[in-house]
Amino acid sequence: MNVYEKIGLKRVVNASGRVTILGVSTLSDEVAQAAIEGGQSYVVIDDLINRAGEIISGYTGGEDSCVTSSASAAICLTVAGLISKGKKSIVDRLPDSTGLPNEIVIQKGHSIDYGAPMPTMIRLGGGVPVEAGTANEVVPEDIEEAITENTVALFYVKSHHCVQKGMVDIETMRDIAHRHNLPLMVDAAAEEDFRKYIALGADLVIYSGAKALEATTSGFVTGKKEYISYVKKQYHGIGRPMKIGKEGIMGLLKALERYENKDREKEVAENIAKVQYLCEEISKIPGLKAEQIQDEAGRAIYRARVTLDTAETAQGTKSAAQINQELRGGDPQIYARTEFLNLGKIDFDPRPLVDGDKELIVKRLREIMEG
Ligand SMILES: *Cc1c(COP(=O)(O)O)cnc(C)c1O
């Protein structure tokens, strides 16, 4: 029995991915140990935040970095930082930014809900989101014309949740921002390359700690030293309810160290092998077909996509929504990805599966289909 079962909750087979609703990722012994040790001593927190920033920057190429409790907190604190520009009187009054430049320009197809709405995170930091263009088409002119004397930053979101076509690319966003003497913020929360966007010339880049890094619940923003200093000041203002504890910071630093030394190609190969097993075995179940697909945002993430074999489903078998409901209803509860459920597709992410999970998924699907 795991600790959650001991308090009366069902075990979860996570075939969904690094998602908040299931607890994102699990900790390695090394990361858990770093968090334990971090929690067992005192330290001057401002010094820890500064030192953690230096260490994180060694992994990102940023001039400095600021550790946060999540990527969402990093978005809020970055917006707040750019509005206050380090001025104490503004730090003290945020999130009230009345009368101050406070607009954040974001492409409409990037104004997503990743589990919570992006505009909420901007507003929480005192910002006003200004959506440029339309949901499926944004051109450079839309961005240019959205910029006013109240603009404090341009915001680019790199995510599979975003509209992938018809958006202005990151290089163009960077050039427009810099031509207007504005910083470009990038949300790369779930990305796996911690250097790429700094190298591309982004001024502030945001990551989540528990996603690719499999760290303790955390996040960080990395980039230009001056802007990062504005972000850090928020811990004496609106950042207080978003504080990250010393144990969380030490877990993050250990996870960064581990990630740097990890054999990622081997991990991808192992995940592909799991996907292939799922595709072969699920396709043997009458009424189901499965194929390997790649992540929509182009990351090296492969998943098994299950579709209903329409020739068979025409004879009154279950819908994808029903199958998904039955997967979740059992014990353990099996959580697949449901972004394309309305199109009759159920996706299985191999990354969070533990030993025995993939066999269990096949067994349960067979039971569900055979009724
Ligand atoms: C997950 C995610 C976030 C939020 O990350 P948290 O660390 O959970 O706050 C923000 N933006 C994008 C694009 C994400 O995928």
Side-chain angles (χ1 to χ4, degrees), residues 18 20 24 69-75 112 114 118 157-162 187-190 206-211 217-219 299:
R18 308 259 164 79
T20 287
V24 195
S69 59
S70 62
S72 303
I75 298 167
I112 54 172
Y114 55 76
M118 186 64 87
V157 181
K158 172 69 184 162
S159 170
H160 71 278
H161 294 296
C162 292
D187 175 1
I206 288 155
Y207 290 94
S208 187
K211 290 182 178 172
T217 301
S218 57
R299 295 170 297 178

Side-chain angles (χ1 to χ4, degrees), residues 160-180:
H160 71 278
H161 294 296
C162 292
V163 176
Q164 304 294 327
K165 288 182 201 157
M167 296 294 118
V168 176
D169 63 34
I170 190 164
E171 290 86 354
T172 307
M173 286 289 278
R174 171 200 63 200
D175 294 345
I176 296 172
H178 293 171
R179 208 177 316 119
H180 290 266

Side-chain angles (χ1 to χ4, degrees), residues 93-208:
R93 66 178 259 205
L94 284 176
D96 178 2
S97 63
T98 317
L100 299 166
N102 58 7
E103 292 174 2
I104 306 291
V105 174
I106 182 169
Q107 306 188 57
K108 195 150 194 164
H110 286 192
S111 191
I112 54 172
D113 187 312
Y114 55 76
M118 186 64 87
T120 300
M121 303 309 141
I122 296 172
R123 287 198 187 95
L124 204 51
V128 174
V130 174
E131 292 178 358
T134 61
N136 68 338
E137 191 182 64
V138 186
V139 295
E141 231 178 335
D142 292 318
I143 307 293
E144 295 274 3
E145 292 179 15
I147 295 172
T148 70
E149 63 206 23
N150 287 323
T151 306
V152 293
L154 265 53
F155 190 15
Y156 184 94
V157 181
K158 172 69 184 162
S159 170
H160 71 278
H161 294 296
C162 292
V163 176
Q164 304 294 327
K165 288 182 201 157
M167 296 294 118
V168 176
D169 63 34
I170 190 164
E171 290 86 354
T172 307
M173 286 289 278
R174 171 200 63 200
D175 294 345
I176 296 172
H178 293 171
R179 208 177 316 119
H180 290 266
N181 289 318
L182 291 167
L184 176 69
M185 282 171 69
V186 177
D187 175 1
E191 290 300 299
E192 305 185 314
D193 187 332
F194 297 94
R195 294 185 175 273
K196 180 173 174 180
Y197 301 100
I198 290 293
L200 261 172
D203 300 280
L204 291 155
V205 189
I206 288 155
Y207 290 94
S208 187

Side-chain angles (χ1 to χ4, degrees), residues 109-370:
H110 286 192
S111 191
I112 54 172
D113 187 312
Y114 55 76
M118 186 64 87
T120 300
M121 303 309 141
I122 296 172
R123 287 198 187 95
L124 204 51
V128 174
V130 174
E131 292 178 358
T134 61
N136 68 338
E137 191 182 64
V138 186
V139 295
E141 231 178 335
D142 292 318
I143 307 293
E144 295 274 3
E145 292 179 15
I147 295 172
T148 70
E149 63 206 23
N150 287 323
T151 306
V152 293
L154 265 53
F155 190 15
Y156 184 94
V157 181
K158 172 69 184 162
S159 170
H160 71 278
H161 294 296
C162 292
V163 176
Q164 304 294 327
K165 288 182 201 157
M167 296 294 118
V168 176
D169 63 34
I170 190 164
E171 290 86 354
T172 307
M173 286 289 278
R174 171 200 63 200
D175 294 345
I176 296 172
H178 293 171
R179 208 177 316 119
H180 290 266
N181 289 318
L182 291 167
L184 176 69
M185 282 171 69
V186 177
D187 175 1
E191 290 300 299
E192 305 185 314
D193 187 332
F194 297 94
R195 294 185 175 273
K196 180 173 174 180
Y197 301 100
I198 290 293
L200 261 172
D203 300 280
L204 291 155
V205 189
I206 288 155
Y207 290 94
S208 187
K211 290 182 178 172
L213 287 169
E214 300 172 274
T216 33
T217 301
S218 57
F220 61 86
V221 50
T222 182
K224 294 272 158 60
K225 199 172 186 68
E226 187 187 353
Y227 298 135
I228 295 292
S229 74
Y230 303 159
V231 177
K232 287 180 183 172
K233 288 217 163 83
Q234 306 307 317
Y235 278 122
H236 302 286
I238 66 152
R240 179 55 183 256
M242 304 172 207
K243 78 176 174 189
I244 174 168
K246 54 196 184 306
E247 64 290 338
I249 298 175
M250 296 315 288
L252 172 65
L253 297 183
K254 180 54 77 178
L256 277 160
E257 184 189 319
R258 271 175 55 91
Y259 192 80
E260 188 94 333
N261 300 322
K262 199 159 85 174
D263 186 347
R264 284 196 284 285
E265 277 173 25
K266 178 164 161 260
E267 197 178 62
V268 170
E270 285 167 1
N271 285 329
I272 290 177
K274 288 187 206 169
V275 169
Q276 283 170 349
Y277 170 89
L278 286 170
C279 289
E280 267 171 43
E281 295 301 317
I282 292 170
S283 294
K284 289 181 195 159
I285 301 173
L288 298 181
K289 274 188 310 197
E291 56 170 347
Q292 176 174 311
I293 53 154
Q294 189 178 356
D295 173 64
E296 301 82 28
R299 295 170 297 178
I301 300 171
Y302 300 87
R303 302 188 177 102
R305 168 160 292 174
V306 176
T307 46
L308 300 180
D309 199 334
T310 43
E312 308 225 12
T313 48
Q315 288 139 38
T317 49
K318 295 167 177 170
S319 70
Q322 273 172 306
I323 295 169
N324 181 57
Q325 206 175 358
E326 290 187 38
L327 283 170
R328 288 191 181 188
D331 188 4
Q333 299 170 279
I334 299 175
Y335 272 75
R337 285 176 88 82
T338 55
E339 285 166 301
F340 297 99
L341 199 61
N342 63 335
L343 302 175
K345 301 175 205 293
I346 306 176
D347 296 342
F348 292 87
D349 193 312
R351 294 172 299 157
L353 298 180
V354 301
D355 279 350
D357 281 356
K358 63 182 187 311
E359 292 79 8
L360 198 68
I361 290 169
V362 173
K363 180 167 167 273
R364 281 280 287 285
L365 279 173
R366 187 175 286 282
E367 287 165 3
I368 292 168
M369 294 308 287
E370 289 172 356

